[in-house]
Structure formats: structure tokens, C-alpha cells
Amino acid sequence: MSATRSLHLRGRSVGLVFVGGALGTGLRALVSAAVPPVSGLPVAVLGVDVVGAFVLGLLLATLHRAGPDEGRRRDLRLLLGTGVLGGFTTYSALAADTAGLADQARVGAALLYAGATLVLGLAAAFAGLRCGGRRGGR
Amino acid sequence: MSPALLLVVALAGGLGAVARLVVDGEVRRRLGDALPRGTVLVNLTGSLLLGLVTGLATGGLLPPLAQVVVGTGFLGGYTTFSTAAVEAVRLATAGRWTAAVVDAVGQLVAAVLLAGLGLVAGLALAG
């Protein structure tokens, strides 16, 4: 029955995530094309991942403050969170580029790239969750 | 990147995001969501596949255009960093530090190893 079908199999969810994912992926492709690597380090993907982690934290905390995950709030989470920001940020490029640097015997560069993305990304997600949790309150 | 290629890459990313929604949803349905296993599964499989695609393209077995559509588009949209970061931070702020460290560091180390494995396999297949 479609009324009890899991959220991830509903046509509405799939449509929202598809549109959002296409927009986010297109935006990432544009940023990657505009910002060349710096001495072999893909700084565009690093920037995209860190900015995306902050905005996703901000979005999810803001939606959480606004009320339960249903109706328009759930639509926004699927379109903007799962879709746009999920498509905008990427993990596979982070992993493959790090492996590629290590493969070229640039182990230091590989550690720097992966480490910087992880530390900055976690800090950005934390800051986004904090900002969203506070906004408009008190 | 031409506007036509950008459009194809974007649409491939939309398909990848839907694949992520379905895989993550199925993992949650079967295993629950006490731990972010869905995102981890998506990111590990996507990293392995991107390594493979990169190896095949480097070895000349896959045209550069296909590498961009599948790699930047589909697998870029399928895998996600933002959700992984938020999930790790939520584990940490809930006081589940071991789970948070394993999720953040373990996921990245495993993804890099799998991407490297895919890269080597792709180069071997192409060579």
C-alpha cells in the first residue's frame, strides 16, 4: 500500500531527491571546473565538502527546531539535504583522489588532503548544527 | 565543460542521489538507525567504484566522457560527505565517542583503501 510504503520508496521522495541531487551535482561540477587543483590537491572538492557540511548541519538543526520531520519540513529535508547537499558534497572523489595521491608516492599530500577535509568538515558540521540550533531562539 | 555535458552530469548525479536514498533507506529498515550504517555502505561502495572507474579510464578502457558522467555525476551524487560529517558529529555530541571516531576515521580509511583497490583493479583490467 502506498500509504504505508517506506519513505525512501515513495514517488514524491524520489522526485525531490532526484531534482535536488541533479542541482547539487551540477553546482559541484561547475565549482570543480572553475577552481583548478593547487599542486595536485583538489581544493575545489575540499571547499565543496566543508561548505556543504556546514550548510547541512545548519539546515537539519533549523528544521529540527521548527518541528517534527513531516510535511513541508520533510520535503525540504529531502530536496535540500538529501538532494542538493548530498549531491553537492562527495565522498568518492575524496577517497579516490587521496588514493591517487598515495599511488603517486605523494603520501604527505594524501594525508594532508584527507586529514584537512575530515577535520574541517567535522568542525563545519558541528558549527552548522550549533548555529541552526540557536537561530531565532531566546 | 559544455552545457550539454553539464546537464548529463547533473542528471546522473540526480540518479546517484536517488540510489543513495534507496540504499540508505533499505539499510535503515533492516538494521535500524542506531548507527549510520546506510551512509557508510553508500560511501564505501561508491569509493570502490570510483577507484575502478578511474583505473579503467586511466588504462584507456573507458572514454574520458564516461568517466566524467559516471564518476563526477553518478558516483559524486551517490556518495556524500555532508551527511557523513553530520552523523559523526551527532554521535560525538551524544557522548558516543568510540562510534564517532570509528564512523569518521574508520570510514575514511576504509574508503581510501577501497578506492585504491578499485584503482589497481581497474588498471589491471585495462592493462
Side-chain angles (χ1 to χ4, degrees), chain A:
Chain A
M1 264 174 74
S2 88
T4 56
R5 193 186 289 169
S6 305
L7 182 66
H8 65 283
L9 298 176
R10 284 185 206 154
R12 184 179 183 82
S13 311
V14 169
L16 288 167
V17 170
F18 177 76
V19 171
L23 287 173
T25 300
L27 198 58
R28 170 167 43 80
L30 284 174
V31 173
S32 289
V35 183
V38 174
S39 60
L41 296 187
V43 290
V45 175
L46 193 160
V48 158
D49 279 346
V50 172
V51 170
F54 175 81
V55 180
L56 183 67
L58 188 67
L59 173 77
L60 294 180
T62 304
L63 289 175
H64 184 72
R65 271 186 71 92
D69 185 43
E70 59 194 30
R72 206 166 64 93
R73 279 185 296 274
R74 191 169 63 194
D75 285 352
L76 281 173
R77 178 176 62 80
L78 289 168
L79 177 71
L80 301 177
T82 311
V84 174
L85 292 165
F88 183 57
T89 64
T90 184
Y91 210 93
S92 47
L94 166 63
D97 288 338
T98 302
L101 285 167
D103 186 50
Q104 296 161 34
R106 298 187 59 194
V107 177
L111 287 173
L112 175 69
Y113 173 56
T117 303
L118 190 61
V119 170
L120 295 175
L122 291 172
F126 179 75
L129 286 166
R130 271 297 173 88
C131 289
R134 277 194 197 137
R135 268 205 329 189
R138 281 160 282 178

Side-chain angles (χ1 to χ4, degrees), chain B residues 12-126:
Chain B
L15 289 178
V18 169
R20 167 163 42 83
L21 175 77
V22 171
V23 170
D24 182 59
E26 283 302 306
V27 170
R28 282 171 196 271
R29 192 172 65 79
R30 285 154 205 250
L31 302 176
D33 49 12
L35 287 168
R37 294 185 179 96
T39 306
V40 172
L41 179 65
V42 162
N43 283 342
L44 294 187
T45 51
S47 296
L48 174 68
L49 288 173
L50 184 61
L52 185 66
V53 165
T54 307
L56 289 174
T58 306
L61 206 64
L62 196 72
L65 216 58
Q67 183 189 9
V68 172
V69 173
V70 176
T72 308
F74 183 82
L75 294 171
Y78 174 61
T79 61
T80 184
F81 179 80
S82 50
T83 301
V86 166
E87 285 170 346
V89 168
R90 280 182 166 165
L91 287 171
T93 51
R96 302 174 62 191
W97 283 98
T98 308
V101 171
V102 170
D103 186 45
V105 181
Q107 181 170 199
L108 185 52
V109 170
V112 172
L113 290 175
L114 285 169
L117 188 69
L119 194 64
V120 170
L123 285 169
L125 284 170

